[in-house]
């Protein structure tokens, strides 16, 4: 059995362009689907957050309409309740990369608030690239890539092909005209090559040790791809 590190947001609010606070957190399906896949394959999960705070779930991600109906929404909620690791996170600042076989970042808008500017997370990602540690990042999780710096001061992921939550999806989700910045645009400005597919359809991009997914529907196929890299 090997350990997989889940790096998760500690932010329960996203500061919008007008200064107001939008409730957020991590997106439930993006934690549950990979967690279940990794546990079924026999891996241990450790959750890390900035400061070791309990990661907050985005309540919107528990609604029936985003989970294909109430039955699946109830299943996702029950699965979250059963994930004891969420209630005892370690401090991201204290993580030793060598303890883990892979690193996974779920999304939700929370990472845009904290992980996008978290130096500890940025260092961990840069170390993972250098060490060849498999990295899985989904939906808004790629916001964390913005904090990863190379030795020359540029973005450590510049030139990498990725999938991430797209401008089209942000527009359709209703927040595009309220957020301070759009993830697809900011990644592109950093030199990261965003490969956008149809909104809301599963889409996974692999480039070297990095496996990324565009949206919640991409979380299960991303997990399957990451597991292949763990043998």
């Amino acid at each position: 059995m090997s350990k997989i590190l889940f790096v998760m947001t500690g932010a329960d609010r996203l500061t919008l362009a007008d200064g107001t606070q939008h409730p957020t957190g991590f997106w439930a399906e993006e934690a549950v689907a990979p967690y279940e896949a990794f546990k079924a394959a026999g891996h241990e999960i450790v959750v890390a957050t900035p400061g070791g705070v309990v990661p907050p779930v985005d309540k919107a991600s528990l609604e029936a309409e985003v989970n294909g109906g109430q039955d699946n929404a109830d299943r996702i909620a029950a699965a979250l309740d059963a994930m004891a690791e969420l209630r005892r996170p370690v401090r991201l600042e204290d993580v030793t990369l060598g303890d883990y076989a892979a690193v996974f970042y779920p999304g939700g808008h929370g990472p845009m608030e904290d992980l996008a500017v978290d130096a500890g997370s940025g260092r961990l990602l840069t170390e993972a690239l250098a060490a060849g540690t498999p990295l899985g990042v989904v939906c808004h999780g790629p916001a964390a890539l913005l904090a990863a710096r190379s030795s020359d001061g540029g973005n450590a992921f510049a030139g990498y092909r990725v999938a991430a939550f797209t401008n089209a999806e942000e527009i359709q989700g209703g927040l595009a005209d309220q957020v301070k910045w759009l993830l697809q645009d900011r990644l592109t400005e950093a030199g990261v090559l965003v490969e956008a597919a149809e909104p809301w359809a599963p889409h996974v991009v692999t480039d070297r040790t990095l496996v990324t997914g565009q949206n919640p529907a991409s979380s299960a196929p991303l997990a399957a791809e990451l597991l292949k890299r763990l043998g």
Side-chain angles (χ1 to χ4, degrees), residues 2-4 38 41 43 100-103 133-135 223-231:
S2 59
K3 292 196 289 188
I4 297 176
F38 299 150
H43 298 287
Y100 301 96
V103 179
T133 303
L135 276 171
E225 188 63 36
L226 200 63
L227 281 171
K228 291 179 188 175
R229 291 160 183 257
L230 298 178

Side-chain angles (χ1 to χ4, degrees), residues 4-9 26-40 43-49 53-57 61-62 73-90 104-107 219:
I4 297 176
L5 183 70
F6 273 42
V7 180
M8 301 183 67
T9 183
F26 70 87
W27 198 259
E29 181 183 1
E30 295 167 20
V32 168
Y35 177 92
E36 292 178 335
F38 299 150
K39 293 287 274 191
H43 298 287
E44 180 183 346
I45 306 298
V46 175
V47 172
T49 61
V53 302
V54 173
V57 64
S61 69
L62 300 174
D74 290 344
R75 187 194 75 78
I76 292 285
L80 274 184
D81 286 342
M83 291 169 61
E85 295 90 344
L86 289 175
R87 296 187 288 276
R88 51 171 191 267
V90 302
F104 173 69
Y105 281 70
S219 55

